[in-house]
Amino acid sequence: MRKRFFKPYRRIITEKTVRQAQITILVKMFEHLKDKFPQLTHHWEKYAGLYKREEVPARTVLLHEGEISKRSFFIEKGCLRAGFNHKGRDVTFQFFFENEVISSAESFHRNIPSMLTIETVEPCVLQILAKKDYETVMADLKTDPRLLESMLDIAFERQLHYMREFLSFIRDTPQERYLNLLKEKPQVVKRVPQHFIASYLGITTVHLSRIKNKILKEKR
């Protein structure tokens, strides 16, 4: 009798623990909204079941350039990159780390071919939201005008970030961009392979090595 009772009890505990973990992750995802909209706290548990948690090996392509994006990824652990092919050369556009959300936005929202490839750089733990479930969440949340305003602010901040990146690529030298990377995103330098960093800076790995050596010499 004890054995028969213990197994389903253990299963209930396990399911409860997993669900609590899902809710915790989801709260992190919406933490920028949670403080402004405490009245939405009761939604978190309902949304938690929409996310699928997956452990993904490094160098796994989650979305190929030209495909229609059907999923959005919240990074619980690890690093992802977005890139594209330019005349046969792999170019890195951006890196993403823990507690960030990544999708091919224009493809995900407009149902058009993605301009980007999304790939894991490290072994990752991801919370994945399907587009149909995303639409369910948005239909539920967009009834609050203040929430919509906050979402627009977040979209504006992301747009501003990309604009700064674009201007930096035009205005700054590769060495200046690398120094900015060291200052603003040190986790990139610590965790991302050199050939991806070089690709992100728009230079070769040889050029990157020269820049690093020059910086070291200047510090001595």
Side-chain angles (χ1 to χ4, degrees), residues 19 22-30 33-34 37-51 129 133 136-144 146-147:
R19 189 158 186 78
Q22 288 178 319
I23 294 170
T24 300
I25 293 300
L26 193 63
V27 168
K28 285 185 179 181
M29 295 176 66
F30 290 100
L33 301 177
K34 183 172 177 282
F37 306 99
Q39 71 273 22
L40 296 177
T41 302
H42 67 281
H43 286 293
W44 306 148
E45 184 171 356
K46 178 172 66 174
Y47 298 148
L50 300 178
Y51 288 83
L129 180 66
D133 294 324
T136 298
V137 174
M138 289 300 102
D140 195 9
L141 296 183
K142 71 180 181 180
T143 55
D144 191 323
R146 293 174 301 167
L147 179 61

Side-chain angles (χ1 to χ4, degrees), residues 48-180:
L50 300 178
Y51 288 83
K52 182 179 179 183
R53 187 175 188 269
E54 289 189 12
E55 296 184 12
V56 185
R59 302 305 304 274
T60 299
V61 175
L62 302 172
L63 175 70
H64 288 276
E65 184 178 348
E67 291 181 343
I68 305 295
S69 175
K70 299 294 184 183
R71 301 184 297 173
S72 177
F73 308 95
F74 172 78
I75 307 172
E76 182 178 333
K77 181 180 179 181
C79 171
L80 274 67
R81 76 178 187 102
F84 57 92
N85 183 283
H86 178 65
K87 298 180 179 180
R89 184 167 59 92
D90 182 36
V91 178
T92 297
F93 172 68
Q94 192 59 264
F95 300 105
F96 299 84
F97 296 90
E98 285 82 3
N99 298 325
E100 292 186 314
V101 177
I102 175 174
S103 68
S104 180
E106 81 294 335
S107 179
F108 189 75
H109 290 284
R110 297 184 179 180
N111 204 39
I112 60 176
S114 173
M115 295 187 291
L116 300 170
T117 290
I118 298 175
E119 178 185 22
T120 59
V121 175
E122 302 173 338
C124 292
V125 179
L126 305 174
Q127 296 284 340
I128 301 174
L129 180 66
K131 184 177 180 179
K132 61 181 180 63
D133 294 324
Y134 167 84
E135 291 171 348
T136 298
V137 174
M138 289 300 102
D140 195 9
L141 296 183
K142 71 180 181 180
T143 55
D144 191 323
R146 293 174 301 167
L147 179 61
L148 278 178
E149 184 179 352
S150 180
M151 292 170 67
L152 287 173
D153 287 342
I154 293 168
F156 175 77
E157 287 298 325
R158 179 64 66 89
Q159 188 69 25
L160 184 60
H161 169 74
Y162 288 141
M163 185 178 295
R164 287 171 178 163
E165 291 275 322
F166 178 72
L167 290 176
S168 175
F169 194 86
I170 297 174
R171 179 189 59 209
D172 300 332
T173 66
Q175 180 170 327
E176 288 172 335
R177 294 191 73 208
Y178 182 74
L179 289 171
N180 288 335

